[in-house]
């Protein structure tokens, strides 16, 4: 099947730079996607965007170029609940990738078991209205109850303004809960303002909640350019991510978000994204937790040390 990508959609950055920051041995890119290729793994009828192709082989080439050892591949909404592209990528990784799936309530136990064998360790519940249609919360709770015995967790994606309304649902989930992109804060607001305070409270009061300190390119208003003598790209995102890394060093994850769906103004150089890491995890010990110890504990517990 032939697909035409959504107008204005930027392709992922070919030829990323070599990061200056050297990743610790065993680092995990804990948030990335594969798209198709559409001719082999068609995009879902219910999708809200049509991406460019971004194959498993291209993801693994990026992994090796940047110096990561492993990937966590998150099912993208453009594939709906057909996890076959993601699962094929897990199989092709030969144990170096784990997956986060999207499932509906009619998923069979056999399908869950097959995904587990391939390396899936979580489901994603998405509440970002531009990406998905509404799924009733009782359906999601039913899914959560079915995946919990497999040792899987739930990844949640939502906008910061929706946290108050979703709070009771999130805190009722029976598993570890991993939040995508810090709950998408409005980084033009103060880092100690009410919106982000609520997110910090969410993590403080609920030790089963983790956060990905990801997507500066998606959250930033100041953008990638250094301005007025500043040398820090995405500098408005730094205090938010840093606050989470400093306060919850054993419950944060980092990933590239390659191939960066839905970006229309600016496509990041993934090498420069890696160079952003020391700005938010300021010591080698914090970097080791963020990039190795935490993702290994969550996705490869059988290999994790300590
Ligand atoms: C991300 C962010 C986005 C998209 C998706 O599954 C997706 O389509 O996650 C977004 O548009 O904010 O994590 O890649």
């Amino acid at each position: 099947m032939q697909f035409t990508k959504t107008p204005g959609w930027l392709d992922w950055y070919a030829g990323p730079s070599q990061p200056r920051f050297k990743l610790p041995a065993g680092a995990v890119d804990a948030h990335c996607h594969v798209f198709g290729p559409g001719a082999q793994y068609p995009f879902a009828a219910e999708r809200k965007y049509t991406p460019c192709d971004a194959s498993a082989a291209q993801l693994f080439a990026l992994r090796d170029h940047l110096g990561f050892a492993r990937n966590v591949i998150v099912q993208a909404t453009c594939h709906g609940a057909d996890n076959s592209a993601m699962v094929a990528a897990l199989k092709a990784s030969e144990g170096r990738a784990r997956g986060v799936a999207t499932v509906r309530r009619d998923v069979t136990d056999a399908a869950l078991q097959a995904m587990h064998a391939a390396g899936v360790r979580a489901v994603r519940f998405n509440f970002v209205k531009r990406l998905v249609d509404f799924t009733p919360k009782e359906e999601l709770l039913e899914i959560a109850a079915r995946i919990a015995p497999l040792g899987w967790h739930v990844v949640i994606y939502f906008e910061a303004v929706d946290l108050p309304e979703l709070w009771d649902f999130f805190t009722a989930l029976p598993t570890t809960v991993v939040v995508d992109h810090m709950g998408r804060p409005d980084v033009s607001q103060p880092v100690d303002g009410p919106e982000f305070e609520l997110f910090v409270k969410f993590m403080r009061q609920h030790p089963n909640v983790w956060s990905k300190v990801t997507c500066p390119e998606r959250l930033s208003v100041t953008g990638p350019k250094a301005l007025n003598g500043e040398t820090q790209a995405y500098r408005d995102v730094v205090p938010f991510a840093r606050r989470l890394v400093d306060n919850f060093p054993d419950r944060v994850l980092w990933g590239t978000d390659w191939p960066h769906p839905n970006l229309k103004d600016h496509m990041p150089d993934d090498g420069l994204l890696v160079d952003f890491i020391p700005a938010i995890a300021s010591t080698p010990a914090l970097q080791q937790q963020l990039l190795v110890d935490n993702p290994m504990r969550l996705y490869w517990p059988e290999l994790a040390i300590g």
Side-chain angles (χ1 to χ4, degrees):
M1 204 182 296
Q2 283 289 77
F3 291 95
T4 306
K5 76 176 165 132
T6 303
W9 225 79
L10 294 175
D11 287 348
W12 46 274
Y13 196 97
S17 60
Q18 192 67 51
R20 278 170 295 153
F21 173 61
K22 193 172 173 335
L23 291 163
V28 181
D29 177 351
H31 186 96
C32 49
H33 311 282
V34 289
F35 297 148
Q40 198 178 352
Y41 302 106
F43 302 112
E46 72 271 26
R47 70 191 181 280
K48 305 290 185 198
Y49 63 84
T50 304
C52 54
D53 287 338
S55 71
Q58 288 164 325
L59 174 63
F60 300 151
L62 180 75
R63 172 197 69 195
D64 295 345
H65 172 79
L66 297 177
F68 285 100
R70 296 180 173 85
N71 298 104
V72 179
I73 306 176
V74 178
Q75 171 76 354
T77 57
C78 55
H79 279 296
D82 175 357
N83 294 284
S84 43
M86 184 270 291
V87 166
L90 300 186
K91 290 179 178 163
S93 80
E94 300 182 333
R96 295 177 68 186
R98 295 288 194 234
V100 177
T102 297
V103 302
R104 309 275 183 242
R105 69 170 1 145
D106 61 0
V107 66
T108 63
D109 288 337
L112 291 175
Q113 289 294 350
M115 281 194 272
H116 188 84
V120 172
R121 294 292 180 270
V123 289
R124 190 185 200 201
F125 295 164
N126 198 322
F127 300 90
V128 178
K129 297 176 187 78
R130 69 184 159 77
L131 291 174
V132 285
D133 295 325
F134 175 76
T135 305
K137 295 201 181 83
E138 67 269 18
E139 182 169 335
L140 298 175
L141 284 172
E142 197 179 299
I143 291 167
R146 290 198 41 220
I147 58 94
L150 293 166
W152 293 13
H153 59 270
V154 176
V155 174
I156 51 177
Y157 191 25
F158 60 94
E159 308 269 3
V161 290
D162 296 323
L163 180 56
E165 193 268 313
L166 291 164
W167 182 283
D168 290 345
F169 171 73
F170 290 159
T171 56
L173 290 169
T175 63
T176 294
V177 173
V178 179
V179 180
D180 279 342
H181 318 330
M182 304 188 280
R184 290 196 64 108
D186 174 355
V187 299
S188 64
Q189 293 187 24
V191 67
D192 56 358
E195 186 186 271
F196 202 59
E197 280 299 333
L198 187 70
F199 186 74
V200 171
K201 181 175 160 192
F202 180 45
M203 289 195 73
R204 189 173 293 128
Q205 289 188 348
H206 300 282
N208 65 322
V209 176
W210 295 40
S211 180
K212 295 178 194 168
V213 287
T214 35
C215 278
E217 75 286 3
R218 209 174 270 295
L219 301 174
S220 180
V221 179
T222 54
K225 294 269 180 335
L227 288 176
N228 304 327
E230 286 252 12
T231 54
Q232 180 61 63
Y234 313 119
R235 64 188 184 285
D236 48 352
V237 181
V238 171
F240 292 81
R242 206 167 165 144
R243 186 165 178 203
L244 298 186
V245 172
D246 287 343
N247 282 284
F248 310 104
D250 57 348
R251 289 191 269 145
V252 283
L253 300 169
W254 194 87
T256 56
D257 194 32
W258 188 89
H260 310 286
N262 292 307
L263 292 188
K264 293 192 170 142
D265 299 327
H266 149 68
M267 180 54 65
D269 168 348
D270 295 279
L272 296 182
L273 279 182
V274 170
D275 285 334
F276 181 74
I277 296 172
I280 62 169
S282 54
T283 67
L286 288 171
Q287 292 158 10
Q288 173 73 21
Q289 284 181 287
L290 175 67
L291 297 161
V292 184
D293 299 349
N294 298 343
M296 289 304 287
R297 213 165 67 249
L298 196 57
Y299 289 99
W300 284 268
E302 67 281 11
L303 300 181
I305 302 163

